[in-house]
Amino acid sequence: MGKAWAQEATAFSAAEKYDMRLDRGDISRAERRLTGRIWRTPVVRSEHLDELAGARLWLKAENLQRGGSFKVRGALLAVEQLAAAGSRGVIAQSTGNHAIAVSLAAREYRLPAILVLPSDAAPIKIQRIRENGAEVTLAGIVLADRVAMVEKLRNVHGYDVVDPYENPHVVAGQGTATAELLGETSARGVALDAVVVPIGGGSAIAGACLAARGHGVAVVGAEPETVPAFTAALRERQPVTVAAGHTIADGLRPERIGALPFRLAQQSVAEVVTVKEAAIAEALCAAFLDARLVIEPAAATALAAALSHAAGFGRDVGVLLSGGNVEPGLVASLLTGRADDSRRVL
């Protein structure tokens, strides 16, 4: 994809051995490498959501991104580096969006790809992967099952693994979404007081922490109350596996935070909000009805945290709406339930 990008990729390869050396400069390099390869998604406002939150919310609509989520940012950088090194193919495990992003990136570099998803993965996400010409393998419902399957497939095929949490290209790429949000609000004369980011395996929160360095903005994480992996890691001062309960936020189901994201974020995160399932569902409906945005429950988790806590974060609060790959039936059922409860006339 060009000599300059290859040089940037070589610079990043050193960071794989020294993960703590990732800094704000890596986000800037990632932005340059992604120029012209991703869509610059809009920052959306809603007066009604502002009223509910008690603050001005600035919504980074990554649900409108290529592949339906911000994950394409990191996947493109990681697969680019592997392709430049002569990769025969790629393998990745994911609850969905990272897998979609890797399949899209692999298609661009004409590499075969195998994506490992949980056995109860959302059909819409499986469909998106197959549309990109990649193979889907289902493996259990917990992270350990998927990781074991990735290792088995790697040994069989000799493909390279694109880890969704530990790869520094992925982390830096994800951080460019927050960097764009900060840049776009600054261009409007607004200095954000905080940015709220959903937490699954941790690449988004780690990237956000890197992007926010030097900006005086607090980084707030949001995770489902039923899968408090980052909250538990902060308490234990290291990643731990939690007993994951059911959550509609399938993108935030990893029951263990990645080691690299934890190291990058543990000292930088201002607060972590755990969100109840009902609040996630309500935020998804609010995004649709008040901002005209179709978002998935993972993104709604960040919005829910902002709606309930933004007044305590400051006057201007950014929210990373991480993706929009949601089952139409889920959206319909949540909206119908909201109408039936007479909370809003549709």
Side-chain angles (χ1 to χ4, degrees):
M1 299 297 291
K3 185 176 181 180
W5 281 344
Q7 290 173 340
E8 294 278 9
T10 300
F12 264 66
S13 65
E16 295 180 9
K17 297 180 180 178
Y18 306 101
D19 54 29
M20 288 304 293
R21 295 187 182 183
L22 280 172
D23 58 26
R24 183 58 178 79
D26 293 309
I27 303 297
S28 297
R29 284 187 285 274
E31 287 186 290
R32 290 196 296 272
R33 290 169 63 196
L34 289 171
T35 300
R37 305 167 69 192
I38 59 172
W39 296 329
R40 195 169 184 89
T41 55
V43 174
V44 177
R45 298 290 314 285
S46 164
E47 290 182 352
H48 187 67
L49 292 181
D50 289 354
E51 292 173 4
L52 293 175
R56 297 198 302 181
L57 301 185
W58 302 81
L59 312 176
K60 180 61 169 168
E62 285 292 288
N63 56 306
L64 303 177
Q65 185 56 261
R66 292 185 65 197
S69 85
F70 79 115
K71 293 293 183 72
V72 72
R73 297 169 177 270
L76 281 170
L77 299 186
V79 174
E80 172 196 40
Q81 186 267 335
L82 292 172
S87 178
R88 296 171 51 193
V90 293
I91 302 173
Q93 68 81 19
S94 166
T95 56
N97 282 341
H98 176 68
I100 294 172
V102 170
S103 69
L104 188 155
R107 184 182 67 186
E108 289 199 4
Y109 286 96
R110 299 183 179 180
L111 291 175
I114 305 174
L115 290 312
V116 179
L117 274 68
S119 57
D120 58 353
I124 190 69
K125 295 184 177 180
I126 295 175
Q127 177 184 337
R128 294 286 182 263
I129 294 166
R130 288 176 173 159
E131 286 173 348
N132 286 330
E135 178 182 340
V136 175
T137 296
L138 304 179
I141 59 172
V142 298
L143 176 60
D145 293 333
R146 299 194 299 277
V147 171
M149 179 59 71
V150 165
E151 183 62 17
K152 177 180 177 180
L153 292 171
R154 185 187 68 81
N155 290 332
V156 170
H157 296 279
Y159 291 173
D160 293 298
V161 176
V162 184
D163 194 282
Y165 320 131
E166 311 300 349
N167 188 304
H169 301 271
V170 169
V171 171
Q174 317 311 37
T176 63
T178 297
E180 282 185 13
L181 172 59
L182 294 172
E184 290 172 27
T185 51
S186 177
R188 299 188 198 185
V190 174
L192 293 182
D193 297 296
V195 59
V196 185
V197 179
I199 304 177
S203 63
I205 194 73
C209 286
L210 289 172
R213 287 182 182 176
H215 287 274
V217 58
V219 177
V220 177
E223 61 184 354
E225 187 178 65
T226 56
V227 194
F230 194 70
T231 299
L234 289 175
R235 183 175 59 249
E236 299 297 328
R237 299 182 180 180
Q238 63 181 348
V240 294
T241 301
V242 300
H246 171 73
T247 179
I248 61 171
D250 60 306
L252 307 183
R253 278 176 49 183
E255 63 271 22
R256 185 183 183 92
I257 196 80
L260 172 58
F262 180 72
R263 291 171 193 156
L264 291 171
Q266 64 174 322
Q267 299 300 325
S268 301
V269 171
E271 184 176 345
V272 179
V273 178
T274 55
V275 184
K276 295 181 181 298
E277 292 297 295
I280 297 173
E282 184 70 12
L284 187 150
C285 293
F288 182 87
L289 294 168
D290 297 319
R292 300 299 184 263
L293 293 173
V294 178
I295 62 174
E296 62 187 89
T301 302
L303 179 57
L307 290 174
S308 60
H309 292 75
F313 300 153
R315 180 170 181 263
D316 290 285
V317 177
V319 183
L320 178 63
L321 299 182
S322 53
N325 292 313
V326 58
E327 287 294 317
L330 175 61
V331 176
S333 66
L334 293 177
L335 290 171
T336 300
R338 181 166 175 163
D340 290 345
D341 289 342
S342 299
R343 286 175 289 186
R344 182 70 62 90
V345 176
L346 298 181

